[in-house]
Amino acid sequence: MDMSPSTIRPKLTARGVNVFYGDAQALNQVDLDIRAHEVTALIGPSGCGKSTFLRCLNRMNDLIEICRVDGDIRLDGEDIYDPAVNLVYLRARIGMVFQKPNPFPKPIYDNVAYGPKIHGLARSRAEMDEIVASSLERAGLWDEVKDRLDAPATGLSGGQQQRLCIARAIAVRPEVILMDEPCSSLDPIATARIEALMDELRQNFTIVIVTHSMQQAARVSQRTAFFHLGDLVEVGDTDTVFTQPVDPRTESYISGRIG
Amino acid sequence: MTDPRQSPTETILASLPRRRRAEARFHFYGIAAIGIALGFLILLIGAIGHQGIGAFSQTEIALDVTLDESVLDPSGTRDPETLSTANYRAVVRAALGEIFPEAVRKRRDRRKLTALVSIGAGFELRELVLADPGLIGRTMRVWVPADDEVDMLFKGVTVRDSGRFTEKQLGWLDRLEAEGRIRSAFNWRFFSNGDSREPELAGILGAMSGSFFALVTCLALSFPLGVMAAIYLEEFAPRNRWTDLVEININNLAAVPSIVFGLLGLAVFLGFMGLARSAPLVGGMVLALMTLPTIIIVTRASLHAVPPSIREAAIGLGASRMQAMLHHTLPLATPGIMTGTIIGMARALGELAPLIMIGMVAFIVDVPQGLLDPASALPVQVYIWADSPERAFAEKTAAAIIVLLAFLVVMNLTAVILRRRFERRW
Amino acid sequence: MAEAVTAGESAPRSSLLAAPEGRRARQVLGERILLGLLAASSVVAILTTIGIALSLLFETLRFLDAVPLFDFLFGLNWSPQIAIREDQVGSSGAFGVVPLLVGTGLIAAVAMTVAGPLGLFSAIYLAEYASPRARSFAKPILEILAGIPTVVYGFFAVLVVAPFVRDSSEAAGFEVSSESALAAGVVMGVMIVPIVSSIADDVISAVPQSLREGAYGLGATKSETVRNIVLPAALPGIGGALLLGVSRAIGETMIVVMAAGLSAQLTVNPLQAVTTITVQMVTLLTGDQEFDSPKTLAAFALGLLLFIATLILNLIALMLVRRYQERYD
Ligand SMILES: Nc1ncnc2c1ncn2[C@@H]1O[C@H](COP(=O)(O)OP(=O)(O)OP(=O)(O)O)[C@@H](O)[C@H]1O
Ligand SMILES: [Mg+2]
């Protein structure tokens, strides 16, 4: 994909997003665009609201009773907080991978097939097999599990489980994939595999990733957004943010002085 | 300035033996408490086992009965109607007369003699003949139940000179025994008969089937209602004043005395809705109301134990909350729900007070065949027999308790096994 | 946003607001209905409580038409049998509930004298002293005790405990009635042990380890730690456990029906026969009664008293346990 930033229309736009947990404000007036076919990294010290922002993007926060979101978030120009929005459809278009691998305690096959099944994406068993195989393939897991698709997913290693969760997410063919610290429980080798995977997935999907690793952000992302105490401090091309940060807070975080 | 006090070491050292004794004492109290509980349990099971074991055997007397056609079926039509109303008691009397010709001359002696055999003997002959009318005219040896007093005597519960038997009766019994006409056999009647005024004929089939119908009703009502309510409260209900109230209410309801549920049943099911007294349906409905809070509480706990990440994973894929619950949370919570339900059912099986309130304590001979037939239940049977004056009912009471406890053990073991087998640690 | 040109290859998607169609629409409707059913089921528990409260209240009011409230609550004489003719009911004063309250209290007191120490020490042992193996042996004992139906306890009281109490007190030169409060109370106490111990066990186990370590760090022995640190910290929860035990004791029916007496004596001597609220409820309702005879109605009035008393105890107990759990969550 070789498009200059100016020609890319944002896939997701957030304007003036405030999030409250009860009375405590977790995000303060966040404006952020997520561009299609790019990896956007969200970085910042613990508790600054990265996960909160991520979960706003597919309305996962609706599950938290005390959470209130205001502001305007649009997917391809459509307001996703419109009361009439069909949440099922929204989440089918914006998939999510969580910090801790959370496979269903079911066979590997069923894990990947679950999304397509509930959305009626496969018309036959053969088609479903095809979807499962290709999703596992793209998640780089196929060779390891193709002989034991009926084995319980919980028997996989942590890294395999996380790749399974990615396969499960892409099996629905979402447009955007949100990843919340997907590598935090993984060893370097598994991390490297998933990073490679992200770069590849970027061809077909838009990716937003939360990470605590500056190196990871630098390696995988095209754009980086830095959060601090609920504020979006700075956003820009990853190279720029890491080499010439504008805000002093960004600079001290990147150089390891806060966080 | 130095501390004016002496070095504390000596004081502490001096206190150690006393403190060690106090420690040992405290530890001992704990063990003693458990020990007392265990002792009580052993005593209870031992006493009831000792008391009840006798009821599983029954003293029987061998008679050489002649199924005389002129007595049973004078017309010779073999009409079932005639056969079932015939005078089998006379056949029994005649068979006794064969053994003790001298006894049947005097009317009083004759009565004393027939009193040794249960009136159930006649019923059992009737069953034989009805099953195979071809037996009529034949002479054969049958073992019939002895009267309960005889039974007690041979089991050693009562003594010979208790005044319950005349010298003559004792003599006859001795002769029967000497001729090998007395035996102790497994008491299948206890499992195949309903209740009876005659202890030797009384059985628990009626009570078991009443309990069965009541439990089925209870399960059919409380399980779906309880699980659905729990799902709503745990997965869908907003957290607010109202749901707090519901929660407090459920916890409280679980601790309301069971007898109060009986009053509710009496007022609403019998008084207001006019349902039949003594019906297992009503009993089951009352037990269901009583069990409902338990099922709601265990189901909520099981749902709560499923980690939220599973739910989030499904929802992140675009499943609706209902789908996430139906496809993932609920199946994962099922073993816990099953375990809790079985334990709830076990408690309902042993529950008696509410059944008394709704009049399920009548003396009922017939084995109930459906939800609306008058019925008792296992604990009811225990209660009725415990209240009966005949000595032989004491062992029946204990035996009924043994059966009740056996069912409870099976249910609870199933629950334990389910828990062991499927318990998942997250 | 009609002119929306989406980036890359992704085909134009339908609007997020798209109303579900076909299969999906049916599913949404099905889910609506199911959710309604689920919500409706959760109301049943509330309805049960309301049903209990209303039916008890309603019948009690009818009872109070015949017997003045004052006579009922403060009357010292309970003998419903003499109220044969209806016009006699009010004047006879035979529905005075005080002897029943005293009897219920007496038996509950005996029961708690047994269940309190046994339950607490069992809990302390299980939570603080027992090795995992000892625990896996001791806990089932208590669970079995909890699973035994009360009618069985009642029979056991009559079969073993009552004769024992009678013989041993007579040997000691006391006057004993055959259906003493003591026998019923002791057996009831054993029945309540698991209730007290299981809640107290939870409560004690929930006391944070850091508190214990603080005491051990000063050189306290285990029993000193338990007595001076753990128990005071767990006190509200333990209070809740004991209150739930009391609530169970006053609502318990079968043990007293079988092992305690019927005569409404006003005594606090545990060797005498006393009667309880629940015993009288059973007595009033056994035998063929007219549904609205004063005797039947009296059972509802007693039921209301019992319901209110246990309700208050339960609410306080649950509040104590819950408040306590929140503190250390
Ligand atoms: N469910 C919740 N209830 C209440 N407060 C919450 C909840 N989730 C998050 N918060 C609060 O919101 C703020 C932002 O949290 P968030 O999880 O978004 O941080 P984060 O940047 O993802 O941190 P980390 O890097 O540690 O994951 C924090 O102060 C946190 O305490
Ligand atoms: Mg986070």
Side-chain angles (χ1 to χ4, degrees), chain A residues 19-22 24-27 43-55 61 64-67 99 180-181 210-212 227 230 253:
Chain A
V19 180
F20 304 85
Y21 290 107
Q25 186 159 10
L27 281 182
I43 62 170
S46 190
C48 64
K50 307 178 296 289
S51 302
T52 300
F53 180 71
L54 199 70
R55 293 166 62 93
N61 281 332
I64 300 172
E65 201 95 26
I66 54 167
C67 184
Q99 175 167 352
D180 193 349
E181 301 181 41
V210 171
T211 174
H212 272 284
F227 285 75
Y253 181 70

Side-chain angles (χ1 to χ4, degrees), chain C residues 216-262:
Chain C
Y216 289 140
L218 295 173
T221 66
K222 195 162 210 172
S223 63
E224 286 162 350
T225 308
V226 170
R227 267 179 298 150
N228 304 334
I229 307 295
V230 177
L231 288 187
L235 201 59
I238 289 177
L242 291 175
L243 283 185
L244 278 182
V246 174
S247 156
R248 248 328 258 279
I250 65 177
E252 171 47 38
T253 308
M254 288 329 298
I255 295 178
V256 279
V257 166
M258 296 173 80
L262 287 175

Side-chain angles (χ1 to χ4, degrees), chain B residues 225 228-229 232, chain C residues 33-47:
Chain B
L225 275 180
M228 295 204 317
Y232 180 74
Chain C
I33 295 172
L34 187 51
L35 187 63
L37 280 177
L38 296 181
S41 328
S42 74
V43 177
V44 174
I46 293 276
L47 288 182

Side-chain angles (χ1 to χ4, degrees), chain B residues 168-247:
Chain B
K168 259 192 194 150
Q169 281 180 309
L170 289 171
W172 294 329
L173 287 172
D174 288 342
R175 238 177 76 198
L176 284 174
E177 197 177 13
E179 288 178 19
R181 288 177 181 272
I182 301 263
R183 75 168 184 193
S184 170
F186 177 71
N187 187 9
W188 48 267
R189 295 171 193 89
F190 185 66
F191 295 97
S192 63
N193 287 3
D195 197 4
S196 167
R197 298 272 186 223
E198 307 295 326
E200 72 275 13
L201 299 179
I204 51 165
L205 184 62
M208 284 200 291
S209 112
S211 272
F212 172 78
F213 287 123
L215 274 198
V216 166
T217 312
C218 173
L219 184 65
L221 291 175
S222 64
F223 182 71
L225 275 180
V227 171
M228 295 204 317
I231 290 173
Y232 180 74
L233 293 173
E234 191 61 35
E235 303 278 326
F236 296 100
R239 298 272 176 276
N240 56 28
R241 279 265 174 83
W242 165 248
T243 43
D244 270 358
L245 187 75
V246 174
E247 167 140 21

Side-chain angles (χ1 to χ4, degrees), chain B residues 11-229:
Chain B
T11 330
I12 294 176
L13 269 179
S15 76
L16 284 186
R18 180 180 52 75
R19 289 168 69 190
R20 200 165 44 232
R21 281 195 301 277
E23 175 68 27
R25 219 164 31 236
F26 203 67
H27 192 168
F28 170 76
Y29 292 153
I31 295 182
I34 299 284
I36 292 174
L38 177 63
F40 186 94
L41 187 60
I42 292 175
L43 190 62
L44 186 146
I45 291 175
I48 286 174
H50 176 75
Q51 175 87 345
I53 196 77
F56 295 105
S57 63
Q58 163 70 35
T59 308
E60 293 180 348
I61 297 175
L63 298 179
D64 300 309
V65 290
T66 305
L67 296 169
D68 193 344
E69 182 163 17
S70 62
V71 177
L72 298 180
D73 192 14
S75 55
T77 55
R78 299 291 187 267
D79 170 31
E81 181 67 34
T82 322
L83 289 184
S84 65
T85 53
N87 187 357
Y88 293 91
R89 195 78 189 143
V91 176
V92 172
R93 254 197 316 265
L96 279 168
E98 293 284 312
I99 312 172
F100 304 108
E102 78 284 0
V104 288
R105 259 170 257 136
K106 271 200 273 172
R107 201 191 150 102
R108 249 194 51 182
D109 282 352
R110 213 160 53 216
R111 240 201 339 265
K112 287 274 177 210
L113 180 61
T114 29
L116 297 179
V117 176
S118 166
I119 60 160
F123 305 145
E124 286 178 15
L125 287 184
R126 182 179 64 193
E127 295 308 314
L128 272 181
V129 169
L130 284 177
D132 179 11
L135 292 175
I136 290 181
R138 299 248 293 274
T139 299
M140 53 196 227
R141 174 165 279 211
V142 284
W143 289 94
V144 297
D147 182 68
D148 58 305
E149 289 294 353
V150 176
D151 188 44
M152 291 290 101
L153 180 67
F154 279 94
K155 280 175 180 161
V157 178
T158 51
V159 289
R160 289 172 69 95
D161 47 10
S162 61
R164 286 162 208 275
F165 298 105
T166 62
E167 278 306 316
K168 259 192 194 150
Q169 281 180 309
L170 289 171
W172 294 329
L173 287 172
D174 288 342
R175 238 177 76 198
L176 284 174
E177 197 177 13
E179 288 178 19
R181 288 177 181 272
I182 301 263
R183 75 168 184 193
S184 170
F186 177 71
N187 187 9
W188 48 267
R189 295 171 193 89
F190 185 66
F191 295 97
S192 63
N193 287 3
D195 197 4
S196 167
R197 298 272 186 223
E198 307 295 326
E200 72 275 13
L201 299 179
I204 51 165
L205 184 62
M208 284 200 291
S209 112
S211 272
F212 172 78
F213 287 123
L215 274 198
V216 166
T217 312
C218 173
L219 184 65
L221 291 175
S222 64
F223 182 71
L225 275 180
V227 171
M228 295 204 317

